[in-house]
């Protein structure tokens, strides 16, 4: 089943999949962080008092998303090569 | 492309390589391209029938709930509001604070287990009837059908050269899709920002920057996922689709094509005796393939692409009726029933999921019932460990009192655990409004003779004056000189 999916998905689809899965993990990470910390407290540490709470949640989530996306992209860059191309 | 075809092509490549290296290189390029099958757009045919009716009912109900809930009121506020700026979640009568987060975690675990339970029992019910991807895709397909017409009309339109008529039809469809997506984005954000205020801000073109960002973000997500991605989301991107087979066994109710009855398939006249012609019941009309939203042929057996929408059951039943054959050539059944064995509904898997669900529900109910809507936090004065006042040892604390109830309460604070401990509070009346937090500075004094250690434990006890059962205690440390 997994081979079938991999052999059929195009590059664009693979990118969208990475975006989506990193979106999910970033969401889970944000929930975990914000249960423990108030975004106001986090931004006070960086002396950014003019960021609203909604802004705080959004920025931290987007930051997580960027991190998880970078990790996904790097992993594929390192591991996902076409075996047939390099075997010979 | 099937695995079989791929193997054949690779064999040819090997032969070519031996004969002509240049041609082999060209072939290699062709193969590496042909490994990616370009997605063929799927035009699912409209279905009518029992399951289609159930599906439409479920979809309308779920869309109705999703769009309507932000407008419900409870005690003069929005009934369901995940108020992120205030860090409070309102779910009808229940107010969830960050301190109560374990309730939400519990609810999520219960939701996941419920999904497992129903999947083990009846396959991908969630995917076919309730998943947002299905619900919104169906809505988009409905709009597409209204604007572009039937399956055949849609296919003809896509194949036809660009004309003003085609541009007009496509533009109309995408505009309606975009409006629907924008409203979905707005509805989603209104679970996090009061719906009426948000609507007002958008109608006056003055939304907050982040609100606007998230509305557009979710609108784009809806438009892309439900309008363009559709079944590809289920096939390639959905994590649940990848592991749902772990919940399946031979007793799981799934959509099956009855191969024994249907094969060998073949076309025939309605009035002919197909048995004598050596045919099974399948007339090979391919309607089951045409209605499939993921574009599979259910006659090839259960495939992971099948989202269990049962469109093929409805359409095949129609055909069977017209042919005067018994219905149910494609039907909800289990692997065991199909093999002629007995289907067991009650099996260990069902008991384990069911029991776990029951325990979790009972615990959630119990703990919500026992929940005391007061929160108390004790913060020691960081500047001084202790000080000596009038021959006594004094410690200073700040008590944070959270009133998580829906009405204002006055409280009485006590400290116990060290003999002759005296408590000094600067205010006579400790009152906290509903949903507010009070910082209360307090001082405690004890005789050095009563302290046998450098750090002694004691308890703060906070009791609501109007209700004796609203009591919380919090252990704290009292520091004194080393004896």
């Amino acid at each position: 089943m997994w081979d079938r999916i991999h052999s059929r998905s195009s590059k664009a689809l693979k990118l969208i999949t990475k975006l989506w899965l990193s979106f999910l993990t970033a969401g889970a990470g944000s929930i975990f962080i914000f249960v423990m910390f108030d975004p106001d407290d986090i931004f006070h540490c960086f002396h950014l008092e003019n960021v609203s709470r909604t802004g705080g949640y959004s920025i931290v989530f987007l930051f997580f998303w960027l991190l998880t996306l970078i990790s996904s992209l790097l992993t594929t860059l390192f591991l996902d090569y076409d075996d047939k191309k390099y075997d010979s | 492309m099937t695995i079989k075809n791929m193997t054949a092509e690779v064999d040819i490549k090997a032969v070519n390589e031996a004969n002509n290296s240049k041609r082999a290189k060209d072939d290699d390029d062709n193969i590496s391209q042909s490994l990616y099958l370009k997605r063929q757009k799927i035009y699912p045919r409209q279905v009518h029938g029992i399951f289609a009716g159930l599906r439409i009912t479920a979809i309308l109900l779920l869309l109705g709930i999703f769009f309507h809930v932000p407008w419900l009121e409870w005690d003069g506020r929005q009934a369901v509001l995940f108020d992120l700026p205030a860090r409070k979640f309102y779910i009808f009568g229940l107010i969830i604070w960050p301190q109560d987060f374990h309730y939400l975690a519990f609810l999520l675990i219960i939701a996941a287990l419920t999904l497992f339970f129903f999947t083990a029992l009846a396959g991908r019910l969630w995917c076919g009837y309730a998943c947002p991807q299905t619900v919104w895709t169906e809505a988009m397909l409905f709009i597409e059908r209204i604007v572009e017409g039937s399956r055949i009309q849609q296919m003809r339109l896509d194949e036809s050269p660009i004309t003003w008529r085609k541009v007009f039809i496509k533009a109309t469809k995408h505009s309606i899709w975009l409006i629907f997506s924008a409203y979905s984005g707005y509805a989603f954000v209104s679970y996090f920002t009061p719906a009426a205020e948000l609507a007002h801000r958008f109608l006056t073109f003055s939304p907050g920057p982040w609100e606007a960002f998230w509305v557009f973000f979710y609108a784009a997500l809806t438009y892309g996922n439900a309008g363009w991605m559709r079944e590809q989301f289920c096939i390639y991107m959905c994590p649940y689709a990848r592991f749902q087979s772990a919940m399946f066994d031979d007793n799981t109710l799934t959509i099956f094509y009855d191969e024994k009855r249907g094969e060998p398939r073949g076309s025939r006249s309605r009035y002919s005796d197909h048995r004598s012609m050596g045919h099974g019941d399948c007339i090979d009309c391919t309607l089951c393939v045409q209605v499939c939203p993921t574009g599979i042929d259910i006659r090839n057996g259960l495939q992971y692409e099948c989202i269990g929408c049962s469109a093929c059951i409805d359409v095949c039943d129609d055909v069977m009726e017209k042919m005067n054959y018994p219905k149910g050539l494609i039907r909800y059944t289990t692997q065991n029933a199909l093999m002629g064995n007995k289907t067991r509904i009650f099996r260990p898997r069902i008991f384990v999921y069911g029991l776990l669900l029951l325990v979790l529900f009972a615990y959630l109910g119990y703990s919500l019932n026992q929940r005391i809507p007061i929160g108390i936090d004790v913060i020691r004065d960081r500047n001084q460990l202790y000080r000596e006042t009038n021959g006594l040892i004094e410690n200073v604390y700040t008590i944070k009192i959270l009133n998580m109830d829906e009405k204002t309460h006055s409280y009485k604070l006590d400290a116990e655990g060290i003999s002759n401990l005296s408590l000094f509070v600067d205010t006579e009346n400790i009152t906290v409004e509903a949903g507010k937090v009070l910082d209360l500075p307090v001082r405690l004094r004890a005789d050095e003779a009563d302290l046998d250690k450098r750090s002694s434990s004691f308890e703060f006890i906070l009791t609501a004056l109007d209700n004796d059962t609203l009591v919380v205690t919090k252990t704290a440390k009292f520091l004194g000189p080393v004896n």
Side-chain angles (χ1 to χ4, degrees):
Chain A
M1 165 182 117
W2 297 69
D3 285 351
R4 214 159 95 210
I5 301 169
H6 284 292
S7 67
R8 286 195 313 194
S9 44
S10 65
K11 278 184 183 150
L13 207 58
K14 279 182 177 167
L15 178 69
I16 298 173
T17 308
K18 276 165 224 159
L19 276 166
W20 168 243
L21 292 176
S22 47
F23 176 85
L24 286 185
T25 33
S30 308
I31 293 173
F32 185 70
I33 285 294
F34 289 129
V35 166
M36 294 191 294
F37 302 104
D38 185 337
D40 271 2
D41 295 344
I42 299 175
F43 282 84
H44 270 250
C45 294
F46 298 106
H47 303 289
L48 292 165
E49 272 81 9
N50 53 356
V51 176
S52 69
R53 270 218 184 104
T54 316
Y57 286 115
S58 309
I59 291 167
V60 170
F61 168 75
L62 292 175
F63 174 70
F64 272 149
W65 195 12
L66 184 73
L67 281 186
T68 45
L69 183 64
I70 288 173
S71 150
S72 290
L73 289 173
L74 283 178
T75 309
T76 4
L77 185 70
F78 282 18
L79 295 181
D80 189 17
Y81 60 89
D82 188 347
D83 298 75
K84 287 172 196 72
K85 238 181 196 166
Y86 298 100
D87 272 357
S88 52
Chain B
M1 158 157 311
T2 61
I3 302 289
K4 216 165 131 189
N5 288 346
M6 275 166 52
T7 332
E9 276 177 317
V10 173
D11 285 346
I12 292 164
K13 178 195 145 198
V15 176
N16 286 344
E17 259 178 350
N19 294 337
N20 183 326
S21 64
K22 188 181 173 295
R23 241 181 82 197
K25 191 183 172 297
D26 293 342
D27 275 2
D28 199 12
D29 289 346
N30 287 339
I31 286 164
S32 59
Q33 275 178 6
S34 67
L35 284 176
Y36 295 113
L37 183 73
K38 194 173 181 306
R39 181 210 173 206
Q40 303 279 323
K41 190 180 172 192
I42 293 165
Y43 302 88
R45 194 190 172 96
Q46 197 178 2
V47 207
H48 303 281
I50 302 169
F51 294 108
L54 274 175
R55 231 157 94 83
I56 291 169
T57 313
I59 286 163
L60 287 178
L61 198 73
L62 290 168
L63 279 178
I65 291 174
F66 178 76
F67 288 127
H68 191 66
V69 162
W71 294 96
L72 293 180
E73 287 218 351
W74 185 278
D75 273 353
R77 59 164 167 83
Q78 189 168 323
V80 178
L81 178 66
F82 304 109
D83 193 348
L84 288 175
R87 289 174 72 71
K88 268 182 269 181
F89 287 0
Y90 300 96
I91 304 171
F92 297 99
L94 187 68
I95 303 174
I96 292 189
W97 292 66
Q99 286 83 349
D100 296 327
F101 190 77
H102 57 280
Y103 291 123
L104 275 191
F106 252 105
L107 278 178
L108 284 178
I109 296 171
I110 287 178
L113 264 175
T114 311
L115 187 64
F116 296 173
F117 181 76
F118 282 107
T119 306
L121 210 57
R124 293 172 73 171
L125 280 184
W126 165 258
C127 302
Y129 296 84
C131 174
Q133 180 65 28
T134 297
V135 169
W136 263 264
T137 302
E138 282 296 323
M140 293 298 207
L141 284 173
F142 173 76
I143 295 168
E144 192 168 60
R145 254 196 305 268
I146 297 286
V147 179
E148 291 190 0
S150 70
R151 174 174 191 264
I152 300 291
Q153 285 169 316
Q154 289 175 27
M155 288 160 96
R156 281 199 193 125
L157 185 73
D158 283 354
E159 280 166 14
S160 70
I162 294 179
T163 57
W164 282 112
R165 183 181 162 271
K166 184 172 176 176
V167 171
F168 176 72
I169 292 177
K170 290 284 175 190
T172 312
K173 179 183 83 175
H174 287 285
S175 309
I176 302 176
W177 273 6
L178 282 168
I179 293 168
F180 178 65
S181 303
Y183 190 70
S184 302
Y186 155 74
F188 185 80
V189 173
S190 62
Y191 278 85
F192 300 91
T193 307
E197 279 175 40
L198 188 67
H200 180 258
R201 282 205 287 274
F202 265 95
L203 291 175
T204 54
F205 298 103
S206 53
W210 286 109
E211 287 161 359
F213 170 78
W214 286 115
V215 169
F216 285 118
F217 182 87
Y218 281 105
L221 211 67
T222 310
Y223 177 72
N225 277 348
W228 290 95
M229 297 287 296
R230 298 188 185 172
E231 82 291 341
Q232 297 187 93
F233 187 92
C234 313
I235 297 174
Y236 300 108
M237 288 161 68
C238 175
Y240 170 62
R242 301 276 178 125
F243 66 78
Q244 44 83 23
S245 57
M247 270 87 77
F248 273 60
D249 56 30
D250 289 349
N251 292 303
T252 302
L253 205 58
T254 0
I255 296 167
F256 277 110
Y257 162 69
D258 193 339
E259 209 175 316
K260 271 190 236 159
R261 202 188 121 186
E263 298 299 317
R265 64 185 82 153
S267 54
R268 76 290 303 263
S269 145
R270 190 193 300 192
Y271 307 103
S272 61
D273 179 10
H274 61 288
R275 295 282 172 209
S276 64
M277 290 162 70
H279 283 316
D281 278 358
C282 175
I283 65 165
D284 204 12
C285 61
T286 69
L287 279 176
C288 54
V289 183
Q290 293 176 34
V291 296
C292 181
T294 63
I296 57 165
D297 187 342
I298 191 73
R299 294 171 299 176
N300 296 339
L302 182 65
Q303 293 144 75
Y304 89 96
E305 287 96 334
C306 173
I307 57 166
C309 72
S310 46
C312 51
I313 301 184
D314 278 333
V315 80
C316 187
D317 276 353
D318 266 0
V319 173
M320 292 295 112
E321 202 177 323
K322 280 185 193 137
M323 297 297 292
N324 276 327
Y325 298 166
K327 287 182 179 180
L329 179 60
I330 303 174
R331 62 178 183 273
Y332 267 117
T333 185
T334 66
Q335 183 80 42
N336 270 341
L338 213 59
M339 306 298 284
N341 303 329
K342 206 169 162 273
T343 298
R344 283 169 55 220
I345 294 175
F346 298 106
R347 47 197 198 271
R349 185 191 290 266
I350 296 293
F351 279 117
V352 171
Y353 289 153
L355 204 69
L356 272 173
L357 262 180
L358 210 66
V359 169
L360 284 172
F361 260 120
Y363 180 77
L364 185 73
Y366 174 78
S367 61
L368 275 177
N369 186 259
Q370 295 292 310
R371 175 178 179 256
I372 294 167
I374 317 175
I376 178 169
D377 258 329
V378 178
I379 301 159
R380 284 191 56 86
D381 181 22
R382 284 175 196 157
N383 297 325
Q384 238 175 346
L385 295 178
Y386 62 88
R387 62 183 175 213
E388 290 188 41
T389 318
N390 304 332
L392 295 172
I393 307 294
E394 186 179 82
N395 278 210
V396 179
Y397 305 84
T398 302
I399 314 267
K400 268 185 185 297
I401 302 172
L402 257 79
N403 181 2
M404 302 192 276
D405 210 355
E406 280 176 87
K407 58 175 188 175
T408 305
H409 284 292
S410 291
Y411 301 98
K412 176 167 71 94
L413 184 68
D414 294 303
E416 281 177 11
I418 299 168
S419 43
N420 300 321
L421 192 64
S422 42
L423 173 77
F424 298 89
V425 185
D426 291 338
T427 166
E428 281 183 13
N429 188 1
I430 310 172
T431 303
V432 191
E433 281 176 45
K436 297 277 189 243
V437 186
L438 175 77
D439 283 349
L440 184 72
V442 301
R443 287 167 292 129
L444 277 179
R445 282 182 199 161
D447 197 326
E448 198 181 332
D450 293 322
L451 302 171
D452 50 1
K453 292 187 293 237
R454 189 177 169 275
S455 164
S456 323
S457 292
F458 70 98
E459 276 180 342
F460 279 112
I461 303 160
L462 189 72
T463 318
L465 290 175
D466 57 344
N467 185 351
D468 286 348
T469 56
L470 290 185
V471 188
V472 277
T473 57
K474 185 83 183 178
T475 308
K477 297 280 185 203
F478 190 92
L479 302 183
V482 185
N483 283 324

